[in-house]
Amino acid sequence: METELAGEHPPTGGPPEPTTTTTTVDGDPGVGDTTGDGLAPETFIDEVDRLLDEVESALARLDDGTYGHCAECGSAIDDSRLAAAPTARTCANCGSVPADD
């Protein structure tokens, strides 16, 4: 007995399909948000700039020998924390304490 299921149900277990949103700007179709994550291009660029700054800062700490040491207390940052967040500047203890303003 053959049953055709293709196309009846969405596939499971795989990554979600990427989505892209295109909006119009000043009546020009195709110009606008095409980042696929719902962010406006300016917001997306700001986020990429912030991430790039964090990576450059981590590379500078690597060059000067301070990478992997907490910027607040000077103790070693756990390898698991650095593996999860390679640009981390603080240890888990200092990172969980709100900054004084």
Side-chain angles (χ1 to χ4, degrees):
M1 181 170 142
E2 279 186 42
T3 305
E4 289 187 36
L5 296 176
E8 292 180 16
H9 300 285
T12 59
E17 292 294 319
T19 58
T20 301
T21 304
T22 303
T23 56
T24 59
V25 175
D26 295 331
D28 186 7
V31 177
D33 176 26
T34 57
T35 62
D37 56 9
L39 295 177
E42 297 80 18
T43 305
F44 182 74
I45 290 169
D46 290 345
E47 181 65 20
V48 170
D49 283 343
R50 184 194 59 77
L51 181 58
L52 182 59
D53 289 344
E54 288 179 11
V55 169
E56 288 173 343
S57 177
L59 290 172
R61 292 191 308 276
L62 189 62
D63 286 343
D64 69 18
T66 60
Y67 181 80
H69 297 279
C70 179
E72 298 294 320
C73 70
S75 68
I77 300 173
D78 272 350
D79 289 341
S80 60
R81 182 171 174 88
L82 290 172
T87 60
R89 298 176 45 84
T90 58
C91 65
N93 289 335
C94 293
S96 64
V97 177
D100 292 332
D101 289 328

